[in-house]
């Protein structure tokens, strides 16, 4: 803390949060490029400079402070147990030294400001970057291990810092581990930024809305975007974040797009251009700004000059009820949101048997069918006598989230189950449920607050369900007000006025609808009902259900819990949205029902009420193509062996596996699927190829290729390379993976040993492009060298050409397309 008025870390944190959202907070710029300019050689660990060259690190901090930064980041971006495995310095030593360097720079800035009569507040942030490994199920790193990795950094920093910035994260699940590690092991303010691609999605498919809903819910102090793009390219993402975020926003773009020339990486945005965009971000409502890759003290100085006298624009963003998965956000209020009810064993013998006997593939089938039928959210309930509910719930949630993009409703009467499920859930969950009983609210609301979920409140208490609407409204009010006392916004509470059966309590059916309308008008919260409960004990239940559904929707129902495979119920919702002007120009209705009339005319006879339209759809046996597209790893091997009885190996490959992978690729390119689903489908196809290879002659078992792959010397980031390997292997290619940080001569030796048909080199850091070029040069000295493709975050077509590569592939699918062109065996 620089100001004489502030004498403790606690008051520094308070001052930081006070300033946040008033005057623009200015962060520093790139650290790696500054270290390079001062002697850091390619492949050298930047964080080691905290101990080997503390004067250099301190001087870089001091320059940024003198240039106008009020917030500096410790030189600890890559300081985690995995990246430092081969470092001579421990994690604790590096973090301690990094903090000392930052404090020394602040002390020097204090002397300068006192000498010049300037009053300035400065803050030291611990910089925490990504771990560099994929978390399960896509990778091998467990969520708990990721949490412990971040926890170590937080504990070693202790109270020596003013706040923490978690940055450059592309996986919402990794971000969750990091935020929990900070909040559970310190009381420090936490800022969190993710990195987005040009398609406005993170690498794992999260949109700005998904990020905002999750991070606001879990309680960070500021959120935003950094890295990967220049200020021009990042602007649409910032605009989208500002349209939904209710808390302060931070933006730290790169200095444009990288170019590589003469062993040096430069960027294409000038200092003045950068500063102009930064000023525009502040005027649009951003609260904190800084620079990432390629930015220097000059960039920060120019931006700070333009921001002198600027204040943060006050934004009013209304609270909305949002639930998310890791890649999809569902907002209540714009239209009717369908919660699929079929993953609840109550009254479902087949599902109950599947859960008891751990036949989880049947559960996954049911999830897929509901998603295909149009559900927006899936209820997940595994409560059965004699079952370890917490363990099974966690298992089922992990499996479903591996193959389904929809948000989930975690449904249990046990707070312990809710706690465990919310912890491993990827996204902002819908938590079912709480009620008006004091002890239940005391048990559940802390869980909702901690994990930032949306809670479903049942209008019952110690006296049961009130018969009259006013009694249910009173309980609903108590639930909402108690939630607010725990710091839970009422937008994160949905009220269930509880459907009573018409067969037993016919008189009270209308009281449910009256209560629903009162909750909407008096409390201003969204509503949910389990609609099919109304028809228990009556004949022709579909008729009662769809009629009650229409009545409830007219009374203000937002979230019906229902069977999405019931066509009549879904059609009722579609028709209601047209008549209530929620489906503008009837677009969704036309899309879904344009073929209905033609189908009815073509049918042999009229469709009868309560016919198969209300029955379960799509529950037939899955084809191999379906299994590849859906990522059904548990069943693909058995199915492949079954199909081998009637089809040849090449028929299965050409007519099932490759078409399935191609379909996934098209959906990935169009933005309908994201990296997790792409990897899962690739792993599924790979299992099928494994079964097919058992039928091949010994000489053909190795597959097409081989393809040699490596992350170049000095670079320990191999996420991208590993993804490409999995996708290539799913198409039947033999891949020889040399790993990460691979010396040049080892790549050359491997080429001479394996005689590959193609070589793939990966680099994530600008400092290791030099080694990529060096590796390519040595390879091209070899006789009969094969084509060399390159890829990685810092590369472009131009950079690839400049360093001598034959091909540049922006992602795994382009690598497959290239392999298919170059390798014909």
């Amino acid at each position: 803390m620089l100001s004489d008025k502030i004498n403790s870390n606690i008051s520094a944190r308070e001052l930081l949060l006070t300033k946040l959202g008033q005057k623009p907070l200015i962060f520093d710029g790139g650290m790696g490029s500054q270290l390079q300019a001062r002697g850091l050689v390619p492949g050298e660990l930047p964080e080691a400079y905290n101990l080997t060259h503390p004067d250099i690190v301190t001087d870089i901090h001091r320059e940024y402070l003198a240039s106008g930064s009020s917030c500096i980041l410790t030189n600890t971006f890559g300081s985690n147990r995995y990246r430092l495995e081969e470092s001579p310095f421990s994690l604790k030593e590096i973090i301690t030294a990094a903090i000392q360097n930052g404090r020394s720079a602040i002390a020097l800035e204090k002397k300068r400001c006192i000498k010049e009569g300037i009053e300035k507040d400065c803050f030291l942030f611990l910089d925490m970057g990504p771990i560099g490994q994929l978390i399960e199920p896509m990778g091998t790193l467990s969520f708990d291990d990721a949490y412990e990795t971040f926890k170590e950094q937080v504990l070693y920093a202790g109270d020596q810092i003013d706040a923490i910035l978690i940055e450059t994260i592309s996986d919402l699940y990794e971000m969750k581990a990091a935020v929990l590690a900070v909040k559970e092991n310190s009381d420090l303010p936490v800022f969190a930024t993710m990195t987005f691609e040009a398609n406005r999605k993170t690498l794992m498919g999260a949109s700005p809305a998904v990020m905002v809903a999750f991070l606001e819910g879990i309680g960070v102090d500021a959120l935003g975007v950094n890295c990967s793009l220049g200020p021009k390219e990042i602007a649409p993402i910032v605009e989208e974040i500002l349209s939904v975020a209710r808390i302060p926003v931070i933006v730290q773009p790169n200095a444009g797009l990288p170019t590589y020339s003469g062993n040096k990486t430069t960027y294409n945005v000038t200092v003045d251009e950068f500063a102009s965009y930064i000023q525009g971000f502040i005027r649009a409502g951003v609260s904190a700004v800084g620079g990432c890759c390629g930015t220097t003290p000059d960039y920060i100085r120019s931006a700070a000059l333009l921001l002198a006298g600027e204040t943060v624009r006050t934004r009013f963003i209304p609270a909305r009820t949002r639930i998310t998965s890791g890649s999809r956000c569902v907002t209540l209020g714009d239209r009717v949101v369908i919660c699929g009810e079929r993953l609840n064993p109550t009254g479902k013998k087949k599902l109950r048997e599947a859960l008891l006997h751990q036949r989880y593939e049947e559960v996954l089938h049911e999830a897929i069918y509901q998603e295909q039928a149009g559900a927006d959210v899936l209820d997940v309930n595994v409560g059965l006598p004699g079952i370890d509910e917490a363990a099974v719930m966690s298992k089922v949630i992990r499996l479903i989230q591996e193959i389904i993009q929809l948000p989930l409703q975690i449904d249990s009467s046990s707070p312990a189950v809710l706690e465990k499920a919310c912890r491993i859930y990827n996204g902002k969950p819908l938590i079912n449920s709480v009620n008006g009983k004091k002890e239940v609210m005391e048990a559940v609301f802390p869980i909702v607050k901690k994990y930032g979920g949306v809670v479903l409140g049942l209008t019952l208490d110690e006296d049961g369900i009130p018969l009259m609407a006013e009694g249910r409204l009173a309980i609903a009010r108590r639930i909402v007000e108690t939630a607010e006392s725990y710091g839970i916004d009422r937008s994160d509470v949905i009220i269930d006025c509880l459907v009573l059966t018409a067969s037993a309590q016919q008189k009270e059916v209308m009281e449910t609808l009256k209560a629903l309308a009162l909750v909407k008008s008096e409390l201003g919260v969204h509503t949910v009902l389990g609609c099919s409960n109304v028809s228990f004990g009556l004949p022709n239940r579909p008729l009662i259900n769809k009629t009650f559904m229409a009545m409830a929707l007219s009374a203000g129902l937002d979230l019906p819990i229902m069977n999405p495979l019931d066509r009549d119920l879904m059609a009722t919702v579609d028709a209601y949205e047209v008549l209530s002007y929620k489906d503008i120009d009837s677009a969704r209705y036309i899309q879904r029902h344009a073929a209905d009339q033609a189908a009815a005319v073509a049918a042999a006879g009229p469709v009868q009420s309560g016919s198969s339209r209300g029955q379960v759809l799509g529950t037939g046996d899955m084809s191999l193509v379906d299994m590849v597209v859906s990522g059904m790893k548990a069943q693909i091997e058995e199915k492949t062996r079954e199909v081998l009885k009637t089809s040849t190996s090449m028929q299965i490959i050409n007519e099932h596996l490759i078409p399935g992978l191609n379909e996934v690729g098209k959906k990935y390119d169009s933005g309908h699927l994201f990296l997790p689903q792409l990897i899962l489908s690739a792993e599924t196809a790979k299992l099928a190829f494994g079964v097919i290879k058992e039928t091949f002659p010994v000489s053909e078992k190795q597959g097409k290729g081989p393809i040699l792959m490596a992350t170049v010397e000095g670079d320990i980031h191999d996420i991208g390379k590993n993804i490409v390997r999995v996708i290539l292997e799913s198409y039947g290619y033999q891949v020889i993976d040399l790993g990460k940080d691979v010396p040049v001569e080892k790549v050359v030796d491997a080429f001479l040993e394996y005689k590959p048909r193609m070589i793939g080199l990966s680099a994530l850091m600008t400092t290791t492009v030099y080694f990529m070029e060096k590796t390519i040069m040595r390879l091209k000295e070899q006789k009969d060298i094969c084509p060399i493709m390159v890829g990685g975050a810092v590369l472009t077509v131009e950079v690839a050409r400049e360093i001598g590569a034959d091909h540049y592939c922006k992602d795994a699918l382009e690598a497959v397309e290239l392999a298919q062109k170059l390798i014909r065996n």
Side-chain angles (χ1 to χ4, degrees), residues 575-594:
Y576 167 78
E577 290 192 324
V578 170
L579 300 176
S580 62
Y581 197 54
K582 290 181 180 290
D583 181 4
I584 309 301
D585 296 327
S586 307
R588 280 166 57 89
Y589 182 87
I590 292 170
Q591 179 185 7
R592 295 187 182 192
H593 298 279

Side-chain angles (χ1 to χ4, degrees), residues 459-480:
T459 54
L460 64 86
D461 58 14
E462 293 82 357
D463 299 320
I465 304 172
L467 295 180
M468 307 307 290
E470 290 76 12
R472 294 185 223 182
L473 173 63
I475 296 175
R477 179 175 283 111
R478 190 190 318 150
I479 291 171
V480 170

Side-chain angles (χ1 to χ4, degrees), residues 624 627-628 632-633 635-641 644 649 652-653 656-658 661 681-696 729-730:
L624 273 176
M627 287 185 174
V628 170
M632 298 296 289
K633 292 195 296 185
Q635 293 175 285
I636 192 72
E637 291 174 302
E638 179 183 348
K639 184 70 176 180
T640 303
R641 291 188 179 95
L644 275 170
S649 299
I652 294 175
I653 291 172
H656 297 269
L657 301 185
I658 299 301
L661 288 167
S681 291
E683 291 176 339
T684 303
K686 183 179 173 182
L687 290 173
F689 270 114
V691 172
I692 292 171
K693 284 180 182 179
E694 295 172 4
T695 68
F696 288 175
E729 288 175 340
S730 74

Side-chain angles (χ1 to χ4, degrees), residues 668-713:
Y668 178 79
D669 284 338
S670 65
H672 290 90
L673 290 179
F674 303 103
L675 187 59
Q677 292 80 32
L678 179 66
I679 293 176
L680 181 63
S681 291
E683 291 176 339
T684 303
K686 183 179 173 182
L687 290 173
F689 270 114
V691 172
I692 292 171
K693 284 180 182 179
E694 295 172 4
T695 68
F696 288 175
V698 174
S699 61
E700 298 179 19
K701 282 186 182 290
Q702 287 188 322
K704 297 174 286 185
I707 298 173
L708 185 68
M709 297 192 68
T711 298
V712 299
E713 184 174 346

Side-chain angles (χ1 to χ4, degrees), residues 31-32 35 40 44-50 57 75 83 765 767:
M31 172 61 75
L35 290 173
L40 180 75
E44 195 174 1
L45 188 68
E47 291 79 11
Y49 260 49
N50 290 308
V57 176
N75 179 31
R83 193 175 181 203
M765 302 184 296
T767 55

